[in-house]
Amino acid sequence: MKLQKVDEYIKCTADPASTAALCQELEDYMKKGPGVECRILCDRIIRACNHQLGNGAVGTGHVAELVSLVQLALIRYDSTGNPGMQSSPLYMEKILFHIMRKLAAQGAYQPCQRLGDLLYKRLDLATPATQTEDYQVLLRSCFAVLWNGAAGIQADLPQFPRGRLGRRLQALRFLALLDKVSAASPINSKVPGYAEDALGEFGKTCGTLTEDDASFLVRESQSFFCDLLGAGATGPGLCGWLPLVMLHVCRLLCKASLWSQASELVKGSAVWLKETPDPFRHFAGWAVDVHRLLASGEDCAATLTECARAIRCLPDSFSDQERHVFLKASQLVALAFEINQDKVLRGTSLLALFSFFEEYQELLHKHLSKAKTIQPEQKLLFHQTLCSTMCQGLMSAYSSLVASQLEDNQTLERVLLYCKSTAGQMMRESQKLALDNVFIKAASAINSLVYALYNRKHYDQGFSIVEILCHELVRKNLSVMPVDKLNRAFLLAVQSSRRGGHLDRALDWVVLWLRALGGQITEHMAEPVSLWVKTKAEAARGGQADTRLRTLRDGFGPHVPEEEVMLQLLEEELRAYREMLGDTAQERYNTLCDLLDICHEDSDRTHRRAVYLYKMAQVVCFQDFSEQTDCSAVDFTLESIRLLDEEPETAENADCLSDDKAQASLWLYVCTLEKNLHEAMEVDKRLCEAREQQNRCLEPVGTNDMDYEDKQKQQECQLIYEGLRFNLIAESKQCQPLDRALELWKDLLRRKMEPAVRSAKQTVFSVVLMAALYKLIGKPLRALESHQLAAGLARRIGDSSSYASSLCHSARLLLELGAPELAEAQLEQVDQLLSSMDSCAEGVLPLRVLATLLRAELCYSTRQVENGVSHLSQVLKEVGEQRCSKTWYLLRAKALQTASAYLNLNAAALPSHLRQRLTEHGLKTPDTTLYEGLKLLCSLVVTLLGNGLYGANVAVDTRFIDQGDNIILKWQLLAEVLSCSLRMVTVRSYSGAIHEAKVQCLEALKLATKLHTLSRCAEFLVVKAELELQKGEMELSGMDLEQVTSLLDLCIDFTSNEEKMEVKIKPRKGRPAKKPQSPQAVEDEYSGLLKTRSFHQQPVDTAEEWAQAASPKLKPKRQCWLASLEHKADCSCPCCSDPGLGRVCARWAAIQAELASHSPQGATGQSHKLFLTALSRCRNVTAKVAAKLAKMMAAKDKPSLSLLDDLIGRIYMRMTLSGLQVQKAVGMWELLDSGFAFVTSKISPEMDSVQASLQVTKALAIMLTLASQKNCPSEELFSPVWPWNPLKSNNKPRMLPSKKTKDLSLFSKAEESKKKDKGVSLTAEESKKTKDTVVPSVLSKAKMTLPSTKSKSLTCKTPRTVKTKSSKAKSSPVGEPSAFDFDNVVPQVVVRAPSPTVPHTPVQMTLGPALRRGTAKSASKLQFRVYEESTSPGDQLRPVPAAPKRSNRSRFKIDFSDESDTETSAPTVVTRKREAGRVSTRAKTTAATKEKVVAVTEKEPPKGRIRGSKSTAFPPDCPPEESAAPAPRRSRPRKSADRVAKGSSSTEEPEQMRTIKEEESGMDTSLEELKMEEHEALSRSRPEECDTDLEVLRRDVWVDRERDGLGDFRRAGHSWALSPQSSIPASVPDGLTLEYARDLLWSALLSLQHFPPAGLYTKLCGLLALCLGQGDPMTTAMLHSQSLGLTSRHHMTRHLTSRVKKLKKASAPDLAEELESLNLDDPSGHATLTHRLTQLESVFRFPPLDPSAFPHQHCQDFSQHLQKIPPGVTLCLLSVVGMRPGEMGDTVLLTRLERGLNPVTIRIPTAQRECPVSAIIQEMDSVQKQQKVVSSVADKAQWWEGRRALDSRVEKLLSEMREMLSCWMGLLLPLSPDPEVSHQAKGLHQTLTECGAPITEELLKVCVLYSHMVPS
């Protein structure tokens, strides 16, 4: 091979082929034997290759050929080298370095590695002479090139992790060679550091090492060690750091859990680590074993002990390097616990670990103190390692504590001792370091350990550890310390102190916590201040009053921060108190005292002072702080408002100032309301105490005092009336602050941007509170507006919960206002909100339930019953779960009210399957369900507000806590109670429980009065007036309406106008006031002298009678209208525009109209006008409210409201009823049509009952019209369907004799003396003689008993006829005894029955209010004078003169009156029957009160007559002083006297009392009737004609009858003989049939049968029974039974439901109690009783059957009930049915029920009888009322006298009843077992059946058996 220049070789290596050829040529040349020029040749070739690699990028193949050529040339270069021919030192090594560098630059890592190996070998063989500075530089350069070249290896290459590690280990050989040459200290060698980096990067790159990776790592490590040591070569340097590299490899393997490879590496190191101490080799193996044992969960205590012993046994002669190696080995052991932190150590292992750590830390301290050549960086690293091991020990202890592995107290004590020592050492070590991360790590470890101790309830031990950290934090005041770490440390310190019972220490640490926060105190003060508040609350519960009274200002002591910071801290403390549950009033008061002390009067913080003042008012408002301040809550708010008004408004504070003004105004109203409420409760409390004291002093009430409850209720009413010291003006003045707050917030929240207020959330809370107050006082429109404001603000601030809540309340208000469309829009927004909210968040679930409930109410309003029941079932399921929360209880109460409304739907609207879904939740009837909700509300009131506010007091002493939502909940709850009470009253009155309804109404009225809510008070007063009207208490009803008038019309300002003295606002901090204990009464020896006996108290009515006897009769009180009823339609006053007051006014007008229709004057026109006014008012109010709602809710169209639809429907119903009660009802059919049109046009379910009432009214009108058209009594319409009808007779109707004793109220001495003065002497014997007397047509003697002046009834008393011995006789023979029996007012008279063919219209006699009240009249007010009988003929009284006879009948009638009136002097034409009736009635009443009774003796006829002079009649409203002359007794016409004279043959007949028929009857009588009347009059035996103008004197019976829907068919009067012609309207529609009326009744019955109203349903079933007759005996009997005892059935249903519920609750005790109560003798006691009560409940309840199954299903159930009658028992049903509304009726229905027999029902008409059944019932009522009078008599003789008189009356009553029943009384008696009776009845039945008579065999049995009882 020829030697050439370098350039030639460069050309030969220009491409891979030529390079390969050159390489082959060089190899061939070497084989032949190199020549002398071979060394030069190889040098030039190597230089040419270097040149080629430096020219640029060379291909991979070309590079490989070039490297191969270089290797071959280098071999030949070294082999042909001659020692004498050496060139410059390191010549070739430098060329190779450049080639290697260029290869590394081009990324040729494999060729670079090959050249690196060649270069390392050449440098390792370098002689000491060549180891110059260039040598070391070359080594460093080679290390750098290879190390950095390894970094350039791309990560996507497969050989990336391993290739990089190999090249770096190759590079480390050059670095180790450099250490070897430089003789550096092993401790200062960089090889271990680089090796650790390379190994760490390898482990990180590989992730989790696999077996292959571990094998590769072990091979490379061993190769590295072998390359460094060579063939057995060792050195002190290598022995110093090679163990470190090995430990690094073991660490990497142990992290990968490859303990076998690590152990193999350690064992293999014994070969090449011969110079290493033996303890190290053993220690390294123990370290690997610790890793293995700890990872596998085995006990490593022994291994750790060996490691600790090995460190402890290290000699002091060890060098720094050897100690360093052992430290690294110890780190390998510590690494095991760092890697396996989740592994829990047992107590022994943990103690062994602590022992090892102690030795290890001691070795570290020794190394740091003895090492001289250690670098600062290494020293810092060792300090960090020391702290790290300490933290690791604490973390291991934490893990063991958490895993409950330290249960042994001794072990735990040793562990805690180590932890406390370690914590202190850590704090000392951290002080030496400037690194904050070390301190943070130490703090985290301590916090974790203390947290574990806290959870294990080792509070004191934990505090002793964390105290070290907290002291360090306070001392350093580190700003770089994370706040969360600092807060956690202090939190643990405070909580450990609290749980340990060291509350004062906890408060001190809270203050230290705040001080440690430094400049960040205001940003992070919430948590410590909250703990401060909780700790104080805990101290308060523990009775530590001093601790409770401390404030933050007191806690800081001398280290008080600046005032601004202190104000913020105190405000945060106050906010924390507000958010805390429990009573914190005293704490808030003390905090506000500090705030007001800082912001004193002279400070420039007037705005803040004003805010603190109204917040102080919030505290003082609900509790008594009179011992700590002289100011009331109202004073604080007034001062706050004054300061806010004086505060200048700027652009910055405008929003905040407006908000604060609104807040202060709101709380001024709240404080005033609370003050009024507190005063009312105090008054009630004093009254109760006075009543109890009176009851203790007086004797208990006797058992005979039957009026005790009525007296108590009357006293309650009087107290309520006295409490109504407010009116519309007072309420308007009181509501001014509330209205001002609304206006301020409207202006503030009208803007679209969020207002800059102090707390937007607090503003939302206050606006919702304002809405609750508006709803409470009955202003729904303002409440709705407030909720809309709150919803808008909550939406702006992102408070979704408050936003949804306000929308829900708005929807409910809209539903109450009758706007379901607007409510639905609100609910849609709520649904969207709730769908976006987290269902698990607090408060979301109640909102969802509330929204679902409102959906159910919306569906009810729109008649979507099925959807509504589905929603309601979900709500009932949710609220039925046991959730002890006031919010859930309130939701359940609301749900029960809604469920009650659904259960009140009829069977058509609520089918059985839907009703079943509701009854599954334990709901029975509307009444019981609503009552359950009311009871729940009452319980909430007692729980939240305590006793004395509503309902009966219970043994629970609760004080209202004004925290959180309680403030809003209080007013919402009270409003809900009032609303639910109103519903309860409505339902109870509907079911006939008037007394219970009144009690509930009074209770709610008392609450409304305490709250001074005018609208609510007026509404409940109107409701009470309705209840009194239903009971027949006209005067009490009028008094209630007068109270409403006073509330709405009275212009007296009850508020105090006195200027209050200026009060200095100087609250004083102190202790809460103790509750004063009532002093116990001390019994002394004279206490008995102060007690008195309870004397018999005469009623006040007696004094009133005396007064009336001494003075002329007072004129009747003129009825006043409400002033607002006369306002124009566009009036905007509250009574005309407010929905609540507008409803009250309309309802007032409707009730006043009913009162007017029952007034003595018979003001029918005024009644009709009032009804029309009520209708007009309803429409006007509805229109105004709709307009306001459209404007408020931004609706496009005015909504159609159903606000007053129910009231309008009831007004129509009452008007039609009034039309049937009066003689002529103009336009009644038009009213019915209008009422039906209105009701059918509304979808409200409340219209169903009104429609049913209208149907009944229309049916009655049809029946009366048909009777009038047929010219027969209305009862005769049903004769065709009854098999037996009595024959028409001409018997005269009469009255039962009133067998009364002398007036029991006249048993006083004063009355007795009065009677003696007047010559009245009536002995008991004489009174007894009058018991069996009768009144003949010719009176020879009249013997009377004095009427009673003490009557408790409200029944108007008029005379009743006495039965004659012979009903056909027209006169009695001389000497036949006869007598008048007197009732309470006037004596009884005999009235001759008119001819059956002549129609007679009965006239209702009504008396004044005093008489309706049942007040008895004195003896001086009677018609006749009573004189003591004398034997002297001169002393004989003259007989009563006969009435003057009138020759001609006149159509004019003189209006007589005992009240003077100068305006009426001429006769007036009477065109209406009612006017004539009133004139006649008033004349008789006046005469009865002006004259005394005249007793006529039987022996001597009267000598003359007494005439009275006529007087000019004056209208009733003219005062008596205006009369021209005193009004004498009215004289009678001459015509009557003449007739009487002609009728007497032997003696002159005394004047016969008779009646004058109204002129109207003559005008309306047809020509045929007049002819019949004349013919009958001429055919009479008596000379005189029967005057058709007889006026029937009768008695008004005021019975308790329920009205249709809300009103009952009340009896306005009764006629003894029902006129064949019934009053009919002027225009009668065509096509009226009895079948049509019956269909109307059936329809009404189906609408009401699920929950029937007592009065209406009774009349309805009775009329249907009359209509059906004997055509369907089972249905007739069923209807008759359904008509009886409705009120009792309702009451029994309520009672049984309550009993069953209590039994079920008692039968479900806790499991322990249930196991204890197990008994083998009686396993099913409760279950059996519950089953029986459930069966009994099914009997009394009203099953809502399907209309299609009616009446078949009812009859089937009725038949099943009949089968349950015991054998031998007969049930008899007896009732009276009438036709007219309010009329008792004279038709008797008698039903006989027996098991196994068909029911028998008979109709007994008594209208044409001499003594109809209505008179008998009236007599029964009279006896019962007189029984009350007799029972209150104290004198025994008088009591027995009254008792005998009552017994006599009862005997007469029974005899009349037997005569009335006649043979039908047999239905009340058992049937005879005689078969002959059955045989005769059967034969008779067959005969009658053949004749076509529809009569049953059972009825014939009775007729046959008791035929002897039929009168002849």
Side-chain angles (χ1 to χ4, degrees), residues 1107-1119:
Q1108 291 181 359
S1111 62
K1113 183 179 178 181
L1114 299 176
K1115 65 178 181 179
K1117 187 174 180 180
R1118 188 176 183 181
Q1119 299 292 340

Side-chain angles (χ1 to χ4, degrees), residues 965-1038:
D965 294 335
N966 281 359
I967 301 176
I968 295 179
L969 185 62
K970 174 180 181 177
W971 309 116
Q972 289 179 344
L973 177 59
L974 292 178
E976 199 67 32
V977 166
L978 292 175
S979 300
C980 187
S981 298
L982 185 60
R983 293 185 179 184
M984 191 76 254
V985 172
T986 304
V987 172
R988 286 289 166 88
S989 63
Y990 181 85
S991 63
I994 306 298
H995 179 73
E996 298 178 11
K998 182 180 176 181
V999 171
Q1000 188 63 50
C1001 182
L1002 286 176
E1003 198 66 37
L1005 184 56
K1006 286 193 290 186
L1007 176 60
T1009 305
K1010 293 174 184 177
L1011 295 170
H1012 283 206
T1013 56
L1014 182 135
S1015 178
R1016 302 277 190 177
C1017 289
E1019 187 170 15
F1020 280 109
L1021 282 172
V1022 169
V1023 172
K1024 183 176 176 296
E1026 280 189 343
L1027 296 177
E1028 301 291 358
L1029 192 60
Q1030 292 181 25
K1031 294 176 64 177
E1033 305 285 351
M1034 305 301 172
E1035 185 173 1
L1036 293 180
S1037 179

Side-chain angles (χ1 to χ4, degrees), residues 574 588 592 610-620 758:
L574 189 63
R588 285 182 287 142
L592 284 166
V611 174
Y612 302 149
L613 282 173
Y614 74 70
K615 288 185 178 180
M616 177 67 84
Q618 299 175 16
V619 178
V620 181
R758 296 180 183 275

Side-chain angles (χ1 to χ4, degrees), residues 852-886:
T852 308
L853 177 61
L854 291 175
R855 279 286 178 188
E857 294 180 3
L858 176 64
C859 293
Y860 175 81
S861 300
T862 56
R863 282 191 179 269
Q864 300 175 7
V865 179
E866 187 171 359
N867 294 335
V869 171
S870 178
H871 293 309
L872 185 58
S873 299
Q874 297 177 13
V875 173
L876 292 173
K877 182 180 179 181
E878 288 289 341
V879 300
E881 299 177 0
Q882 297 296 331
R883 290 187 175 94
C884 298
S885 170
K886 294 185 286 291

Side-chain angles (χ1 to χ4, degrees), residues 590-794:
N590 291 343
T591 304
L592 284 166
C593 286
D594 284 342
L595 288 167
L596 290 174
D597 190 24
I598 296 175
C599 301
H600 50 84
E601 295 178 356
D602 299 331
S603 65
D604 55 350
R605 300 186 179 96
T606 55
H607 192 174
R608 277 191 170 182
R609 178 176 175 82
V611 174
Y612 302 149
L613 282 173
Y614 74 70
K615 288 185 178 180
M616 177 67 84
Q618 299 175 16
V619 178
V620 181
C621 176
F622 300 101
Q623 293 194 21
D624 183 18
F625 285 89
S626 57
E627 295 184 3
Q628 304 176 43
T629 179
D630 299 330
C631 304
S632 65
V634 177
D635 296 331
F636 283 112
T637 51
L638 290 175
E639 179 65 14
S640 174
I641 292 173
R642 184 187 67 82
L643 292 177
L644 290 172
D645 291 339
E646 294 177 356
E647 185 72 16
E649 182 176 349
T650 61
E652 292 78 12
N653 71 345
D655 291 354
C656 189
L657 186 61
S658 297
D659 181 62
D660 290 334
K661 287 181 180 179
Q663 298 271 7
S665 299
L666 170 65
W667 278 101
L668 175 59
Y669 178 80
V670 174
C671 294
T672 306
L673 180 61
E674 192 68 27
K675 175 186 175 184
N676 295 334
L677 183 60
H678 179 72
E679 291 175 354
M681 292 175 64
E682 288 296 326
V683 170
D684 275 358
K685 185 178 180 181
R686 290 196 298 269
L687 289 175
C688 291
E689 292 176 354
R691 187 178 301 172
E692 292 177 0
Q693 183 68 22
Q694 181 184 7
N695 294 336
R696 286 195 297 266
C697 294
L698 300 179
E699 290 183 356
V701 180
T703 56
N704 288 334
D705 193 355
M706 300 182 180
D707 295 333
Y708 176 75
E709 292 185 359
D710 295 336
K711 294 175 184 177
Q712 293 295 109
K713 295 303 175 186
Q714 191 63 28
Q715 291 177 5
E716 291 184 6
C717 293
Q718 189 62 33
L719 292 177
I720 292 174
Y721 293 160
E722 293 176 359
L724 295 173
R725 295 191 57 82
F726 54 89
N727 52 21
L728 200 57
I729 296 177
E731 191 204 35
S732 178
K733 188 173 182 179
Q734 183 178 343
C735 290
Q736 284 179 1
L738 197 62
D739 297 337
R740 184 193 181 198
L742 177 60
E743 293 300 325
L744 286 171
W745 271 318
K746 282 171 60 177
D747 295 339
L748 179 63
L749 303 178
R750 190 177 298 165
R751 311 160 194 166
K752 296 183 179 180
M753 62 182 66
E754 181 181 346
V757 296
R758 296 180 183 275
S759 174
K761 198 167 186 179
Q762 179 63 33
T763 302
V764 172
F765 177 87
S766 299
V767 177
V768 173
L769 173 61
M770 179 176 61
L773 292 170
Y774 271 127
K775 184 177 181 182
L776 174 66
I777 63 178
K779 295 186 177 182
L781 291 178
R782 291 183 179 269
L784 178 62
E785 190 174 7
S786 301
H787 277 303
Q788 290 296 308
L789 291 176
L793 181 57

Side-chain angles (χ1 to χ4, degrees), residues 97 100-101 104 137-151 167-168 170-172 174-175 194:
F97 167 74
M100 184 179 64
R101 181 174 60 80
V137 171
L138 184 58
L139 288 174
R140 293 192 188 94
S141 300
C142 290
F143 167 76
V145 168
L146 291 175
W147 185 270
N148 295 330
R167 280 142 188 80
R168 290 195 167 173
Q170 185 184 19
L172 286 177
F174 290 95
L175 193 58
Y194 280 106

Side-chain angles (χ1 to χ4, degrees), residues 1259-1260 1263 1270 1272-1285 1634 1637-1638 1641 1662-1670 1777-1779 1787 1803:
L1260 288 174
M1263 292 178 181
K1270 294 180 180 181
C1272 67
S1274 55
E1275 284 78 0
E1276 293 186 8
L1277 292 175
F1278 312 108
S1279 300
V1281 296
W1282 292 95
W1284 176 83
N1285 292 284
L1634 190 60
R1638 187 178 58 189
L1641 294 177
L1663 290 175
L1664 280 173
L1666 287 178
C1667 291
L1668 291 178
Q1670 287 295 333
V1777 183
M1779 293 293 295
T1787 301
R1803 180 183 71 110

Side-chain angles (χ1 to χ4, degrees), residues 190-253:
K190 297 181 179 180
V191 176
Y194 280 106
E196 184 178 3
D197 292 341
L199 293 172
E201 186 179 3
F202 176 75
K204 186 184 296 184
T205 306
C206 292
T208 302
L209 294 181
T210 62
E211 294 284 345
D212 295 338
D213 294 334
S215 300
F216 169 77
L217 180 59
V218 171
R219 288 194 305 270
E220 288 293 327
S221 301
Q222 292 177 350
S223 174
F224 174 70
F225 297 150
C226 293
D227 290 341
L228 291 180
L229 296 176
T234 59
L238 294 176
C239 291
W241 56 260
L242 278 180
L244 299 178
V245 177
M246 184 201 67
L247 290 174
H248 292 321
V249 177
C250 290
R251 181 175 181 174
L252 192 61
L253 293 173

